[in-house]
Amino acid sequence: SQKIEQNSEALNIQEGKTATLTCNYTNYSPAYLQWYRQDPGRGPVFLLLIRENEKEKRKERLKVTFDTTLKQSLFHITASQPADSATYLCAFPFSGSARQLTFGSGTQLTVLP
Amino acid sequence: SAVISQKPSRDICQRGTSLTIQCQVDSQVTMMFWYRQQPGQSLTLIATANQGSEATYESGFVIDKFPISRPNLTFSTLTVSNMSPEDSSIYLCSVPRTGFNEQFFGPGTRLTVL
């Protein structure tokens, strides 16, 4: 069955540094992968989508890479700020469905001032 | 973007009772999804609710335990039946962005079963 893993449950970094979060998957070759942000008491909010034929996608201070050989996506936040503190989730579609998503367990990022 | 509201935002319920969670979207959508997020865990898809047809349940979830209604294109309900403490979770509804693959999520309903 499909399996998606995120590198760690929690990551603490100093303000201004680059945060790097990892998402690994097995037993599947997704056509795309998504990253979401979830704040406590709220639903996830979509951040970025990267397709299998794209190596890198950027949005402001965010950068996502997608390595289909390694079966891995990296999510970077440059010049991190305390407001970036949240749980970040990666997700990809169920096999055979473009709309239903399976989520990783999430990485809780804390940016220390 | 779609604006999604859920009611109630939280509830504390007794074992053996049932709770119905409502999800309202500000635009018409064909598909709505219901997820469960257990404490410290990620989201798990419970079912897909399509207007005018029976909901499609994922492995491990059954209609008797989680009946779903979808009376129109902007509204859905999820009932958690005969609750036990193991049902304590956050329940979220979501809809896909029209023409895209990402999803918009509601704020969630935090359920605690005593």
Side-chain angles (χ1 to χ4, degrees), chain A residues 46-48 57-64 76:
Chain A
F46 171 77
L47 296 175
L48 282 168
K57 183 75 72 77
R58 292 176 183 263
K59 179 182 176 182
E60 298 175 349
R61 294 185 295 111
L62 308 180
K63 185 178 83 171
V64 173
H76 306 272

Side-chain angles (χ1 to χ4, degrees), chain B residues 56-68:
Chain B
T56 304
Y57 290 82
E58 298 305 315
S59 176
F61 299 96
V62 295
I63 187 171
D64 290 346
K65 176 67 176 178
F66 297 102
I68 288 171

Side-chain angles (χ1 to χ4, degrees), chain A residues 6 32 34 36 38 40-46 49 51 89-90 94 97-106, chain B residues 31 33 35 37 40-43 45 48 56 58 90 92 96-108 110:
Chain A
Q6 296 191 237
Y32 62 83
Q34 303 182 17
Y36 288 78
Q38 186 174 24
R42 295 179 178 270
V45 174
F46 171 77
L49 179 151
R51 301 190 182 279
L89 305 163
C90 62
F94 276 33
S97 170
R99 294 307 186 97
Q100 296 162 318
L101 297 176
T102 185
F103 283 83
S105 55
Chain B
M31 302 173 79
F33 303 110
Y35 289 85
Q37 188 171 28
Q41 304 294 316
S42 190
L43 286 77
L45 182 65
T48 302
T56 304
E58 298 305 315
I90 299 172
L92 300 118
R97 180 184 173 195
T98 302
F100 295 85
N101 292 314
E102 64 262 30
Q103 294 183 14
F104 298 110
F105 282 84
R110 182 180 293 272

Side-chain angles (χ1 to χ4, degrees), chain A residues 41-78:
Chain A
R42 295 179 178 270
V45 174
F46 171 77
L47 296 175
L48 282 168
L49 179 151
I50 186 165
R51 301 190 182 279
E52 60 180 343
N53 61 349
E54 298 175 313
K55 295 296 184 184
E56 182 179 297
K57 183 75 72 77
R58 292 176 183 263
K59 179 182 176 182
E60 298 175 349
R61 294 185 295 111
L62 308 180
K63 185 178 83 171
V64 173
T65 63
F66 194 5
D67 190 324
T68 55
T69 301
L70 293 178
K71 294 187 180 292
Q72 180 181 81
S73 175
L74 299 179
F75 177 81
H76 306 272
I77 305 175
T78 59

Side-chain angles (χ1 to χ4, degrees), chain B residues 33-108:
Chain B
F33 303 110
W34 285 98
Y35 289 85
R36 180 176 73 182
Q37 188 171 28
Q38 294 177 303
Q41 304 294 316
S42 190
L43 286 77
T44 301
L45 182 65
I46 298 172
T48 302
N50 294 305
Q51 196 271 334
S53 63
E54 292 284 332
T56 304
Y57 290 82
E58 298 305 315
S59 176
F61 299 96
V62 295
I63 187 171
D64 290 346
K65 176 67 176 178
F66 297 102
I68 288 171
S69 77
R70 185 79 202 275
N72 57 53
L73 291 174
T74 63
F75 187 79
S76 178
T77 67
L78 170 77
T79 299
V80 186
S81 303
N82 188 24
M83 290 184 285
S84 67
E86 292 70 35
D87 294 319
S88 296
S89 292
I90 299 172
Y91 292 86
L92 300 118
C93 64
S94 75
V95 300
R97 180 184 173 195
T98 302
F100 295 85
N101 292 314
E102 64 262 30
Q103 294 183 14
F104 298 110
F105 282 84

